[in-house]
Amino acid sequence: SHAPGRSGVVRSAVVEGQQIGSYRIERVLGQGGFGVVYVGVDVRLDRRAAIKQLLPELSGNREIVERFFNEAKAAASINHPGIVEIYDVGWHTDGSAYFAMKLLDGDSLAKRLRATGPMPVIRAATVARQVAAALTAAHKNGIVHRDLKPDNIVLVPDEEVAMGERATVLDFGIAKLFGDKPLSQKTRTGMMMCTPAYMSPEQCRGAGEVDHRTDVYALGCILFEMLAGRP
């Protein structure tokens, strides 16, 4: 879900059967301009997880590593069923940073919209309400997501909630903790850190103080897309 790199392709740094920390890698789940996400198994607990590994060549960049670990820190501090659960963080033997999170068994909202087109009003409203609840928990913890989009929302089967699915928010990669020194909107290679179609005007302008309202704006854009079938 990160922005593509300049080449558009990132080669995975670990192959099937190798190990990152206590996780034996099964396969690549996805990749982007900053790293690779694997499906792995914790050899200690026999538990499958998603392993997000920052590319080794980026792991020497202090700003990028800070942002990467900030994602894990932000998600772990919220403790809400609508926020992906973080299991572990660490450094691989090749010097790359990684963290492990719960492997979500569901479709991204982006994939669902591509497959079905516009959603019925009641389903769209339910998804929006669940995302709003997760964002509320994040905002109460002083965390702004700043890159909310359909790719960062996974619809996970859950019989205990309305409509039988729970919207789960992930990828707090550029989340800002209130009071922390703000990180720049772009990396030193010039790659944009967020998705323009869902960015609030003040975030597009690069305003220094972007608060929780930028997430509210993004959620409004997402709700429109769920109802209209287009951004």
Side-chain angles (χ1 to χ4, degrees):
S1 60
H2 291 296
R6 287 172 292 179
S7 65
V9 176
V10 174
R11 294 183 179 180
S12 58
V14 178
V15 298
E16 181 180 338
Q18 290 186 344
Q19 200 158 311
I20 298 179
S22 63
Y23 298 90
R24 186 179 66 252
I25 301 305
E26 291 186 340
R27 60 184 172 89
V28 174
L29 184 62
Q31 52 189 12
F34 282 79
V36 185
V37 180
Y38 304 97
V39 175
V41 177
D42 188 334
V43 296
R44 302 165 303 181
L45 301 175
D46 196 26
R47 175 176 64 180
R48 299 176 83 228
I51 317 300
K52 192 167 189 175
Q53 180 194 27
L54 189 64
L55 293 179
E57 58 265 35
L58 297 178
S59 292
N61 184 310
R62 181 176 178 181
E63 181 185 23
I64 293 177
V65 170
E66 183 180 355
R67 181 180 286 115
F68 184 76
F69 280 134
N70 182 48
E71 176 177 351
K73 177 182 175 183
S77 70
I78 300 169
N79 191 27
H80 185 276
I83 305 293
V84 67
E85 183 180 357
I86 302 298
Y87 291 155
D88 192 14
V89 299
W91 296 87
H92 186 39
T93 53
D94 66 0
S96 59
Y98 76 89
F99 66 81
M101 56 189 164
K102 184 175 182 178
L103 182 63
L104 300 178
D105 182 18
D107 292 335
S108 72
L109 179 57
K111 181 179 179 181
R112 182 68 58 82
L113 289 172
R114 287 194 297 268
T116 66
M119 288 184 169
V121 171
I122 185 63
R123 181 167 290 275
T126 300
V127 171
R129 188 180 191 280
Q130 292 174 346
V131 173
L135 291 174
T136 297
H139 297 163
K140 285 181 177 178
N141 279 268
I143 297 166
V144 180
H145 190 290
R146 300 176 82 195
D147 193 24
L148 190 69
K149 56 187 176 182
D151 281 309
N152 288 342
I153 299 169
V154 179
L155 304 176
V156 181
D158 187 340
E159 296 180 356
E160 300 301 319
V161 298
M163 310 297 291
E165 289 183 314
R166 181 186 295 279
T168 304
V169 179
L170 61 154
D171 275 6
F172 281 78
I174 60 168
K176 174 188 174 185
L177 276 67
F178 295 150
D180 282 4
K181 181 180 179 181
L183 295 171
S184 63
Q185 291 278 341
K186 296 184 180 181
T187 69
R188 292 176 184 176
T189 59
M191 288 186 289
M192 197 69 182
M193 290 302 298
C194 24
T195 309
Y198 307 95
M199 288 170 61
S200 64
E202 63 270 25
Q203 192 172 358
C204 288
R205 290 194 302 266
E209 294 300 324
V210 175
D211 62 22
H212 66 282
R213 290 172 293 184
T214 203
D215 289 344
V216 177
Y217 181 97
L219 181 56
C221 294
I222 293 167
L223 179 56
F224 180 95
E225 188 169 347
M226 286 192 287
L227 295 171
R230 60 175 179 82

